[in-house]
Amino acid sequence: MSTHVRHPIWLSALKAADARTFASLYAVESFARAMVSSVIPIQAYEILHNEQIVSILYTVVSLLGLSVTLFMPMLIRRFARRWVYTAGACLLAIGSLFFVTHTLAGQLAGMLCRVMGASALSITLNLYIMDHIRKTDFMQAESLRMAWSMVAWTGGPTLGIFLYTRFGIYAAHGAVAVFAMALLALFWTYRLSDNQSIRPGKTRPANPLANIGRFVAQPRLRLAWLIAFGRSCFWTTFFVYGPLFMVITGEGELAGGLLVSAGNALLFMAIFWGKAGKRFGGRRTMTFAYFAMSATLLAAGAVGVTVPLLTGAFLLCGAFFTIALDALGSTAFMRSVRSYERAQMAAVYRTYLDFSELTPPLVYSVVLAFFGLGSVFVTLALLAAFCGFVTWRYLPKSL
């Protein structure tokens, strides 16, 4: 009997993880990230005083964060998923300590911690979802996850700006640390690491370059990556250049926070888009969303700085259609990846977020050297149109 372990009685009473489990984890994580989503670009602008240099800063951070994402399978293999998830939550809190220094070095370190933490949380959470949710339920589970995060992404940016402008930098970033610790407590309460099916595999993990080659060799995974990349580019532009646009055009910092919050308030429509995907098919719904997004972005670029509030309205329309891709897009990956290589392929798939934070600022820094701020939205519209065409042409009708 020396090997017998008595677990606390309450552990056996815990319900099996389901869609609500992951929706609640993602909702709390969203609060930790949304609180300063509008503060960070404004804070960077206050330090650098130039929107083009702000784009370069985001590019540098994304390049550094990309390497961490590619090595994430090795970290999961070495330390297990629960510890990688724990480290991700802690990095969000540590990043707050760097941000409050209000220096260029602190800004860079804080943004890097934020990127690495988000990467760890995203990859491990997706692995947990694929282990506990059936493939046929992915679409409904993802739409529920997006809908539950609506409160965080709606109130978080405006609340963060309010704390930053009214109570100072410590209040805004201190709130992030509080939510990060709450996320950690909730995660360990669910005890997801106790599930036998989500323990690290015994096979030797391939190196990052081999993982990339394996991913690129599968057309369905390439398509899933492009779908995710396109819609993530919209959110990167919306979160960074939306608040900057409002500040530069004289509407003020609070207007920037309200714009982001209004866009995120539309996340409750994820439930609607989930039903639309089930009714009309993921291929048709996502294609329509991409082309509609492209049209609204072209309108925003055409109006530009002449009528800032109207431009903001067009950006909100774009956010409405992008949420369809949030609700449905990840199912293309989850239903295509093979179970025995989920960790490796999930890490490569996650690079869509790193590239979406890297590529737009890099491209925009060049475009802004020749054109006005509205050109940013026109450039994004062209990408959305391309993604819509590829989605319609190559995504299987059965999805």
Side-chain angles (χ1 to χ4, degrees), residues 69-150:
T69 298
L70 292 175
F71 280 94
M72 199 61 66
M74 292 185 177
L75 294 177
I76 294 174
R77 163 76 177 183
R78 175 66 180 82
F79 299 106
R81 294 181 195 174
R82 61 183 180 275
W83 296 116
V84 175
Y85 191 95
T86 299
C90 291
L91 281 170
L92 294 182
I94 294 171
S96 299
L97 299 177
F98 287 112
F99 280 123
V100 296
T101 64
H102 204 64
T103 62
L104 180 57
Q107 187 78 9
L108 177 62
M111 292 172 69
L112 184 58
C113 285
R114 181 177 165 86
V115 168
M116 292 190 299
S119 175
L121 292 171
S122 175
I123 291 174
T124 49
L125 186 65
N126 278 334
L127 292 176
Y128 284 128
I129 289 173
M130 286 186 284
D131 283 330
H132 289 277
I133 305 297
R134 294 180 301 179
K135 286 189 175 183
T136 54
D137 295 332
F138 281 154
M139 194 173 294
Q140 293 85 344
E142 286 298 284
S143 60
L144 180 66
R145 185 160 68 105
M146 292 299 108
W148 276 39
S149 68
M150 179 267 295

Side-chain angles (χ1 to χ4, degrees), residues 39-72:
V39 173
I40 291 174
I42 292 174
Q43 189 174 332
Y45 185 73
E46 290 176 351
I47 295 172
L48 298 170
H49 305 290
N50 186 292
E51 62 267 26
Q52 189 175 7
I53 300 178
V54 170
S55 294
I56 295 173
L57 175 63
Y58 272 86
T59 300
V60 171
V61 171
S62 298
L63 279 173
L64 295 174
L66 177 60
S67 59
V68 176
T69 298
L70 292 175
F71 280 94
M72 199 61 66

Side-chain angles (χ1 to χ4, degrees), residues 245-246 249 251 299-300 302-314:
F245 181 83
M246 290 300 166
T249 55
E251 297 298 327
V303 175
V305 298
T306 56
V307 188
L309 294 181
L310 180 59
T311 301
F314 281 126

Side-chain angles (χ1 to χ4, degrees), residues 20-294:
R20 291 185 181 135
T21 302
F22 303 112
S24 62
L25 284 171
Y26 188 69
V28 178
E29 176 196 337
S30 295
F31 266 112
R33 294 192 292 116
M35 288 292 294
V36 290
S37 61
S38 297
V39 173
I40 291 174
I42 292 174
Q43 189 174 332
Y45 185 73
E46 290 176 351
I47 295 172
L48 298 170
H49 305 290
N50 186 292
E51 62 267 26
Q52 189 175 7
I53 300 178
V54 170
S55 294
I56 295 173
L57 175 63
Y58 272 86
T59 300
V60 171
V61 171
S62 298
L63 279 173
L64 295 174
L66 177 60
S67 59
V68 176
T69 298
L70 292 175
F71 280 94
M72 199 61 66
M74 292 185 177
L75 294 177
I76 294 174
R77 163 76 177 183
R78 175 66 180 82
F79 299 106
R81 294 181 195 174
R82 61 183 180 275
W83 296 116
V84 175
Y85 191 95
T86 299
C90 291
L91 281 170
L92 294 182
I94 294 171
S96 299
L97 299 177
F98 287 112
F99 280 123
V100 296
T101 64
H102 204 64
T103 62
L104 180 57
Q107 187 78 9
L108 177 62
M111 292 172 69
L112 184 58
C113 285
R114 181 177 165 86
V115 168
M116 292 190 299
S119 175
L121 292 171
S122 175
I123 291 174
T124 49
L125 186 65
N126 278 334
L127 292 176
Y128 284 128
I129 289 173
M130 286 186 284
D131 283 330
H132 289 277
I133 305 297
R134 294 180 301 179
K135 286 189 175 183
T136 54
D137 295 332
F138 281 154
M139 194 173 294
Q140 293 85 344
E142 286 298 284
S143 60
L144 180 66
R145 185 160 68 105
M146 292 299 108
W148 276 39
S149 68
M150 179 267 295
V151 176
W153 288 109
T154 300
T158 300
L159 179 59
I161 289 289
F162 173 78
L163 292 174
Y164 184 67
T165 56
R166 182 63 63 88
F167 299 102
I169 193 171
Y170 287 95
H173 292 288
V176 173
V178 171
F179 279 109
M181 293 301 99
L183 172 64
L184 201 56
L186 183 63
F187 171 74
W188 282 97
T189 298
Y190 286 144
R191 297 185 64 85
L192 294 175
S193 58
D194 285 352
N195 191 306
Q196 297 291 329
S197 66
I198 59 178
R199 289 184 176 180
K202 296 181 179 180
T203 58
R204 183 178 179 180
N207 65 68
L209 292 179
N211 292 339
I212 295 173
R214 178 63 182 157
F215 188 97
V216 172
Q218 301 180 60
R220 291 280 294 274
L221 295 185
R222 294 199 307 267
L223 178 58
W225 189 95
L226 179 65
I227 293 173
F229 172 74
R231 53 101 168 171
S232 189
C233 282
F234 174 89
W235 290 122
T236 296
T237 304
F238 188 75
F239 288 143
V240 176
Y241 293 90
L244 279 180
F245 181 83
M246 290 300 166
V247 171
I248 293 171
T249 55
E251 297 298 327
E253 297 175 345
L254 186 58
L258 289 172
L259 174 65
V260 174
S261 291
N264 291 324
L266 297 172
L267 281 170
F268 78 93
M269 294 301 297
I271 298 294
F272 162 78
W273 285 117
K275 293 180 179 179
K278 188 175 181 180
R279 171 67 178 83
F280 300 104
R283 175 172 169 264
R284 289 183 178 180
T285 306
M286 285 188 277
T287 300
F288 168 76
Y290 259 128
F291 283 123
M293 183 208 307
S294 178

